Amino acid sequence: MGKFEIKKDKAGKLRFNLKASNGQVILSSEAYNSKSACDNGIESVRKNSQNDKMFEKKKAKDGRPYFSLKASNGQVIGDSQMYASASSMASGIASVKKNAPKATVADHS
């Protein structure tokens, strides 16, 4: 089973990573100013990860594919890592869809 890990960044803001059952980070959040906002972000990932239309497939400047997960208001909730191919990116999206709904939360903030 996957899990969300909450940590403070160097600026003191909260961020979370969604990790697959193998421990690999599959989605990294934006920065949040409060615990409640971070918790809302996690719930938004749980909900929006089940809607294919909320995944925006992108390409980095070097051409590597990655994706963003958006909330219903269009705001980016989190971004993936960079992938070597479009097929590996598709596997990453499938992993977010599989892991997010029932992922546990580990708060390390």
Side-chain angles (χ1 to χ4, degrees):
M1 184 188 301
K3 69 177 173 179
F4 290 98
E5 285 190 350
I6 301 170
K7 294 185 177 178
K8 278 191 180 173
D9 65 14
K10 291 176 184 171
K13 299 200 180 225
L14 296 168
R15 295 178 182 267
F16 62 81
N17 286 321
L18 173 60
K19 292 186 173 184
S21 55
N22 65 2
Q24 184 176 3
V25 174
I26 51 178
L27 190 75
S28 297
S29 78
E30 305 297 307
Y32 295 97
N33 291 318
S34 68
K35 177 78 167 72
S36 62
C38 187
D39 290 341
N40 287 341
I42 289 171
E43 288 309 311
S44 187
V45 169
R46 291 186 198 279
K47 181 178 121 188
N48 291 294
S49 65
Q50 301 310 294
N51 184 341
D52 288 335
K53 293 178 183 175
M54 298 309 200
F55 288 93
E56 183 178 349
K57 298 172 185 173
K58 300 178 177 181
K59 282 197 176 181
K61 289 179 184 174
D62 65 5
R64 290 185 299 167
Y66 72 103
F67 63 86
S68 294
L69 178 62
K70 293 187 170 188
S72 54
N73 65 3
Q75 184 176 350
V76 173
I77 312 165
D79 293 309
S80 72
Q81 64 182 18
M82 298 296 164
Y83 290 97
S85 67
S87 63
S88 58
M89 178 182 64
S91 295
I93 290 171
S95 185
V96 170
K97 291 173 77 169
K98 175 185 169 191
N99 285 285
K102 295 184 179 170
T104 59
V105 178
D107 188 345
H108 301 292
S109 63

